[in-house]
Amino acid sequence: MSPAEQAQERREACRRAVLGFLAERQQVAQHAKTICRRLNDGHENDYADAEVEGALAFLAGTEPPLVKAIPDPMGATRYYQATAAGVLAHERRA
């Protein structure tokens, strides 16, 4: 497998992991760093913050959006939550 193919597979795995994390916790919006820390905590994953942020941007940009960004009303911090379409996509994949 070429390095480009390996990189693409890693991006897709990160997207699936991020969506799964958010879909399983759909009641609470999560910060990108929290998502990254929890995905890497006690697992084989070693996703960088930039990879998780890229996955979140991708998932939020799909049509329909699988993830929504929720800005903190007191500042510029963004939290992320799975949409109904995201939860359904995750459930269908599982």
Side-chain angles (χ1 to χ4, degrees), residues 12-79:
E12 291 171 4
C14 184
R15 292 172 190 162
R16 283 191 296 274
V18 167
L19 181 59
F21 178 85
L22 290 174
E24 291 168 4
R25 294 158 185 81
Q26 66 189 38
Q27 304 287 330
V28 180
Q30 305 282 338
H31 188 273
K33 288 194 181 292
T34 302
I35 297 167
C36 186
R37 186 177 68 246
R38 294 292 300 272
L39 289 179
N40 293 336
D41 188 32
H43 302 285
E44 296 177 3
N45 302 323
D46 60 346
Y47 297 123
D49 289 344
E51 289 177 295
V52 170
E53 290 167 5
L56 288 165
F58 178 87
L59 294 167
T62 60
E63 192 55 48
L66 302 177
V67 167
K68 64 181 173 180
I70 304 168
D72 186 327
M74 301 299 286
T77 304
R78 294 182 136 194
Y79 296 91

